[in-house]
Amino acid sequence: SAPISRSNSSVKKSLVLNLLLVVSLISQSFVFAQSGNGSSKLTSKNIERSSSAPVVNNKKTVTGEMIENDVSEALSVIEENYVNGKKLDYNELFKSSIDGMLHALDPHSNYFDSKEFEQFRTEQRSEYFGIGATIGDLKDGDTTWTFIRATFENSPAWRAGLRYGDKIVDVNGTSMKNKTFVEVRNFLRGPRGTNAKITVENNLTKQKRTVEITRDAVPQPSVPEAYMIRPGVGYIAMTGGFNQTTAGEFREAMRQLKSDGMQQLVLDLRSNGGGLVGQAYQVAQAFLGQGQVIFTQRGRIPGSEGYFKSDNPSPDKTPLVVLVNRNTASASEILAGALQDHDRALIVGENTFGKGLVQNPFMLPYNSALLLTIAKYQTPSGRSIQRDYSNGNLYDYYYQGGTLRDERKPAKPAGAEKTTDAGRKVYEGGGIQPDEAVKPALLTPVQQRLNYPVFGFALEVAAGRIAGFESYKVDRAIEFGHDLKATDFPFNEQLFAAFKKYVASKPEYKHLSAAQLDKERDFIGRQIRFELSTAAFGSTTAFQTYNEADPQLMRGIELLPKARELAQLVKSKQTALNP
């Protein structure tokens, strides 16, 4: 929203009233039609027409004038009687009012002020504005510092020569000492074209230098990693949401993997929160043949209903396993559901989040926007994936029922029974249930406490300060595009002994006993290898170190023959029906 001066109460109230009135009328009556690009623009003519139109609400007629009067009276009472009435933040007041109204409709309708909407649009372009580096903090005694962990290829930070282990001393003259990495990140990000003057201390030489970096667009790929995880087995991590570049990134990943000899594929949708359903449609279409339904949409306004079918005459036949978890949501659930209903893929992991509502952006004054639910999705079998939200408690919906739900108890079917093309039973109302349930590997309390000692030790190794491991020193720019090999920074007993010696030398780690370290030896080895791989090959490649210990991914690879059998079963049924 536009900044509102505190100097003129009547002007402030007028702006608040106008915006609340516009939003309330849209959310009650859907009076504006979608434009061809999927958004609706409010004009003064629209607003005037809306204000005079009666709206049926709770069986009584409510007019725009009545809404305006009620809100105006409420604001006046607040101004005159609230204990801090002279210090009201009108921007926050009307934003919270709109949010409260929308959340009474459903959990996914939202209001974005101008800054939030610009960030939303930037994320849909698979980018953000900043210097292009991953960072992490390290607590040493009573002092916390934040360090560069990696830079992205061709980013401003990469061009400035920032390296793994560079300590961020200050940004634009403000000390970063004892600031969390989240606070430091906010100092580093900013509008495109603005400058960040950063003083860093080099991990190898301990010399300080100051660099001036111009912030720019930094890509955030939808497909951060694609490589051959086994001979003949490709792995695509589609974990960055569905943005404007997703389908193109996916096609390029498939092309590269096939040139490397891929014959089977694991597609990772874990923690993919969704995004542009059109991009998910294009990915699904790569595997589904002409005429097969990918999803249906049921809504009220023009353009919000219809069947969306594949028009691909020659779909890809690669045996496919799709990994999902409790944070797989929205467009990624549409993709997983389409592949499951047509028996084109075997779904492995946990129950997905369960978001089956369609949002459309409606532009509001001052470059703000309303993201309003206009329709519901259904998978090809006709099942809704939306979880129940009737109690109106957002905490229960997002956490206890969603990302933090108790996965120790097997999920029970939540709704009506449907069938896949091959006659397998699937259920609606609770996200996508996996064909094979596999629990994730969760960090133990001891493993969580190992974060700082592992990072601190890795800084010493990367600087060449650990005797016997000088060859592990990383004093070069990141080698992007590297596929991790077993010979890259191997972990052995000598390195483990050096780590235990390092921990014993630090009083702040005295809570970690030798017995605890021995028990977590494999975990420590992976973490150290991850840090050194980050320094040498970048943060994206480094995540390959975790994959070999990922129970869901490993089980997915084991189930690829079953995925092939499933695809062959469907093919034989289709042949029987259409000889």
Side-chain angles (χ1 to χ4, degrees):
S1 59
I4 300 175
S5 166
R6 299 178 189 270
S7 61
N8 190 321
S9 177
S10 62
V11 171
K12 292 182 285 187
K13 286 176 61 176
S14 176
L15 290 171
V16 173
L17 287 170
N18 286 339
L19 281 167
L20 283 172
L21 178 60
V22 169
V23 173
S24 65
L25 288 168
I26 297 175
S27 61
Q28 292 180 69
S29 60
F30 298 100
V31 293
F32 305 113
Q34 283 182 305
S35 65
N37 63 2
S39 64
S40 295
K41 179 69 176 178
L42 294 185
T43 66
S44 58
K45 186 176 180 180
N46 293 137
I47 296 171
E48 183 180 356
R49 184 173 69 245
S50 307
S51 301
S52 59
V55 179
V56 177
N57 182 27
N58 293 332
K59 298 184 179 181
K60 71 176 183 178
T61 301
V62 179
T63 66
E65 183 179 358
M66 292 169 63
I67 295 172
E68 184 175 3
N69 289 339
D70 285 348
V71 174
S72 179
E73 185 174 347
L75 281 172
S76 296
V77 170
I78 291 170
E79 282 183 323
E80 295 170 7
N81 299 281
Y82 180 60
V83 63
N84 290 324
K86 294 183 178 180
K87 298 180 180 179
L88 291 176
D89 184 337
Y90 282 84
N91 292 299
E92 186 59 35
L93 192 63
F94 89 75
K95 187 180 187 311
S96 61
S97 300
I98 295 171
D99 286 338
M101 177 168 53
L102 294 175
H103 292 156
L105 302 176
D106 68 80
H108 298 291
S109 290
N110 280 294
Y111 168 74
F112 291 154
D113 63 25
S114 58
K115 184 177 180 180
E116 291 168 335
F117 188 55
E118 178 57 32
Q119 181 179 347
F120 172 75
R121 290 191 294 187
T122 299
E123 290 173 353
Q124 286 193 329
R125 295 193 297 267
S126 298
E127 63 186 20
Y128 72 92
F129 297 143
I131 68 169
T134 59
I135 58 177
D137 56 6
L138 176 63
K139 188 175 179 65
D140 187 3
D142 295 329
T143 305
T144 300
W145 288 104
T146 296
F147 296 79
I148 298 291
R149 283 194 125 117
T151 58
F152 301 118
E153 189 171 13
N154 296 320
S155 69
W158 177 82
R159 292 193 295 268
L162 297 185
R163 302 281 179 86
Y164 178 86
D166 279 346
K167 180 196 294 184
I168 303 174
V169 179
D170 67 61
V171 179
N172 290 333
T174 301
S175 173
M176 297 294 107
K177 183 178 180 180
N178 288 329
K179 284 184 167 53
T180 66
F181 80 92
V182 174
E183 292 176 296
V184 176
R185 181 189 64 188
N186 291 337
F187 274 89
L188 296 176
R189 289 190 176 186
R192 188 176 197 169
T194 58
N195 290 335
K197 196 173 184 179
I198 307 170
T199 299
V200 296
E201 180 182 293
N202 184 272
N203 182 42
L204 278 68
T205 65
K206 299 300 181 182
Q207 297 295 311
K208 292 181 181 179
R209 68 185 181 108
T210 299
V211 294
E212 191 161 343
I213 299 177
T214 301
R215 298 181 180 96
D216 204 348
V218 179
Q220 288 188 302
S222 303
V223 180
E225 187 68 10
Y227 70 104
M228 297 296 292
I229 194 169
R230 294 280 191 280
V233 179
Y235 169 76
I236 295 178
M238 190 177 287
T239 53
F242 285 92
N243 305 315
Q244 293 172 2
T245 61
T246 303
E249 292 177 43
F250 168 74
R251 287 190 288 268
E252 175 56 27
M254 290 288 287
R255 185 199 65 76
Q256 183 59 53
L257 291 174
K258 287 194 172 185
S259 70
D260 292 339
M262 179 183 70
Q263 298 174 333
Q264 302 175 90
L265 174 64
V266 177
L267 179 62
D268 194 346
L269 293 179
R270 290 176 296 178
S271 297
N272 185 321
L276 300 175
V277 72
Q279 296 289 308
Y281 166 84
Q282 291 186 52
V283 175
Q285 187 173 238
F287 299 105
L288 298 176
Q290 192 164 24
Q292 287 187 296
V293 174
I294 294 175
F295 69 97
T296 59
Q297 196 168 285
R298 305 294 185 203
R300 288 181 58 192
I301 66 176
S304 65
E305 286 203 349
Y307 289 88
F308 295 84
K309 299 179 181 181
S310 171
D311 60 6
N312 186 355
S314 55
D316 189 279
K317 301 296 184 182
T318 305
L320 177 63
V321 161
V322 175
L323 302 181
V324 297
N325 67 5
R326 65 189 73 182
N327 294 315
T328 302
S330 194
S332 55
E333 292 176 286
I334 292 298
L335 172 58
L339 297 174
Q340 186 181 51
D341 282 4
H342 291 302
D343 302 289
R344 179 58 187 86
L346 199 70
I347 311 300
V348 176
E350 305 168 281
N351 262 47
T352 61
F353 183 87
K355 177 185 179 294
L357 301 178
V358 186
Q359 283 73 48
N360 186 75
F362 291 81
M363 293 304 300
L364 296 174
Y366 312 111
N367 296 317
S368 56
L370 191 68
L371 205 63
L372 191 68
T373 297
I374 61 165
K376 296 181 178 181
Y377 294 124
Q378 287 183 338
T379 69
S381 66
R383 55 179 166 150
S384 167
I385 58 176
Q386 179 61 46
R387 282 192 295 111
D388 179 53
Y389 56 86
S390 58
N391 73 354
N393 188 317
L394 288 180
Y395 178 83
D396 285 350
Y397 178 77
Y398 278 107
Y399 296 101
Q400 292 184 351
T403 58
L404 297 181
R405 63 179 179 261
D406 190 352
E407 291 292 347
R408 292 172 298 181
K409 301 176 182 178
K412 297 180 180 179
E417 180 184 298
K418 305 290 183 178
T419 56
T420 68
D421 291 355
R424 297 184 301 137
K425 295 179 181 179
V426 290
Y427 300 88
E428 68 176 5
I432 303 297
Q433 292 181 302
D435 300 309
E436 178 92 6
V438 182
K439 294 180 181 179
L442 301 177
L443 292 179
T444 67
V446 173
Q447 289 172 349
Q448 293 175 21
R449 293 198 298 270
L450 283 166
N451 178 50
Y452 283 152
V454 167
F455 186 29
F457 179 72
L459 290 173
E460 296 301 300
V461 177
R465 291 192 284 266
I466 300 298
F469 291 91
E470 290 81 4
S471 62
Y472 285 28
K473 180 179 180 179
V474 181
D475 57 356
R476 62 187 183 278
I478 290 175
E479 180 187 341
F480 294 104
H482 179 86
D483 280 343
L484 210 60
K485 302 177 178 63
T487 53
D488 294 323
F489 307 109
F491 185 72
N492 55 34
E493 287 302 323
Q494 292 74 28
L495 189 58
F496 185 43
F499 173 74
K500 290 194 287 187
K501 182 179 178 181
Y502 170 82
V503 170
S505 70
K506 298 284 187 178
E508 57 265 37
Y509 304 144
K510 61 183 179 181
H511 58 279
L512 293 167
S513 68
Q516 288 175 322
L517 297 182
D518 288 337
K519 185 178 180 180
E520 300 293 348
R521 180 193 181 281
D522 291 345
F523 174 80
I524 291 167
R526 284 193 300 273
Q527 292 299 111
I528 292 174
R529 196 159 178 255
F530 169 79
E531 290 293 342
L532 297 175
S533 299
T534 298
F537 310 122
S539 54
T540 299
T541 294
F543 278 103
Q544 294 179 19
T545 60
Y546 294 142
N547 286 346
E548 296 300 325
D550 185 332
Q552 293 174 329
L553 176 53
M554 291 300 103
R555 183 60 178 152
I557 293 173
E558 293 173 1
L559 289 168
L560 279 166
K562 189 174 179 180
R564 187 191 304 114
E565 293 172 4
L566 187 63
Q568 290 172 345
L569 174 63
V570 174
K571 185 177 180 180
S572 64
K573 281 181 173 289
Q574 291 173 341
T575 301
L577 292 172
N578 302 287

